[in-house]
């Protein structure tokens, strides 16, 4: 695991999973590849109430509303995805998927929280994901954390 030298991080792991799906842009209708990040079971998290204490997770988790990604994780994500990137050049910027057609950022809430969204399928038959294990240390600030999400049985344990 990474050290706690990144004080703004609330999740960390020795590796992560890049999940690819497809969705239609709500602005221009373009069929666009979108990316989500997940952490394997072997990850740690902390909350605002106990900022000095890291907890071991009991299962994998999908992350969203991400910011303040560590250097190693940022570089690996940029290598594997052109459309998932910060919304601006500030270190505190949210990482968002961007439409391949109009280049507008797509809402994580629509992708991850709305039934039928790219990363919230309505059933196992709708869960059409491509997953890639990235053996690079991950750290970041996750505004959204979905532990052991349904229809993700193929998330690796380590």
């Amino acid at each position: 695991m990474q050290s706690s030298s990144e004080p703004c991080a609330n999740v960390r792991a020795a590796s992560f999973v890049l999940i690819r799906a497809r969705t239609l842009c709500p602005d221009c209708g373009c069929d666009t590849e979108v990316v989500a990040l997940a952490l394997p079971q072997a990850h740690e998290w902390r909350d605002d109430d106990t900022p000095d204490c890291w907890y071991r997770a009991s299962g994998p988790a999908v992350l969203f509303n991400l910011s303040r990604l560590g250097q190693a994780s940022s570089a690996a994500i940029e290598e594997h995805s052109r459309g998932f990137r910060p919304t601006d050049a500030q270190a505190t910027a949210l990482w968002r998927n961007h439409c391949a057609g109009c280049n507008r950022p797509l809402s994580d809430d629509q992708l991850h929280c709305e039934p039928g969204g790219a990363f919230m399928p309505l059933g196992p038959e709708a869960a059409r994901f491509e997953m890639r294990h990235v053996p690079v240390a991950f750290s970041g600030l996750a505004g959204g954390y979905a532990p052991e999400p349904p229809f993700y049985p193929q998330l690796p344990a380590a």
Side-chain angles (χ1 to χ4, degrees):
M1 294 289 163
Q2 284 189 250
S3 72
S4 58
S5 63
E6 298 194 44
C8 294
N10 64 359
V11 289
R12 65 185 182 183
S15 65
F16 65 97
V17 178
L18 197 81
I19 306 169
R20 295 180 198 279
R22 300 203 70 80
T23 194
L24 296 177
C25 174
D27 293 318
C28 73
C30 180
D31 180 46
T32 298
E33 179 181 88
V34 288
V35 167
L37 302 181
L39 299 182
Q41 181 172 339
H43 74 274
E44 296 178 326
W45 60 275
R46 65 179 172 185
D47 61 28
D48 293 339
D49 295 334
T50 54
D52 295 329
C53 184
W54 286 93
Y55 301 96
R56 290 195 185 279
S58 60
V62 175
L63 310 174
F64 52 100
N65 290 323
L66 290 163
S67 63
R68 299 184 184 268
L69 298 186
Q71 259 187 318
S73 19
S74 296
I77 293 165
E78 289 170 358
E79 179 182 328
H80 294 289
S81 174
R82 286 180 272 150
F84 187 66
R85 60 184 187 273
T87 52
D88 60 49
Q90 294 182 7
T92 58
L94 286 173
W95 283 65
R96 293 278 189 249
N97 285 285
H98 290 73
C99 175
C102 67
N103 202 35
R104 289 193 177 139
L106 303 175
S107 165
D108 268 9
D109 290 338
Q110 289 178 341
L111 295 173
H112 291 270
C113 303
E114 293 295 323
F119 301 111
M120 191 175 188
L122 295 175
E125 65 284 345
R128 295 191 176 108
F129 307 122
E130 175 189 320
M131 300 198 183
R132 166 179 263 171
H133 179 256
V134 181
V136 171
F138 180 88
S139 68
L141 182 62
Y145 179 91
E148 301 187 54
F151 313 124
Y152 284 81
Q154 65 272 50
L155 277 173

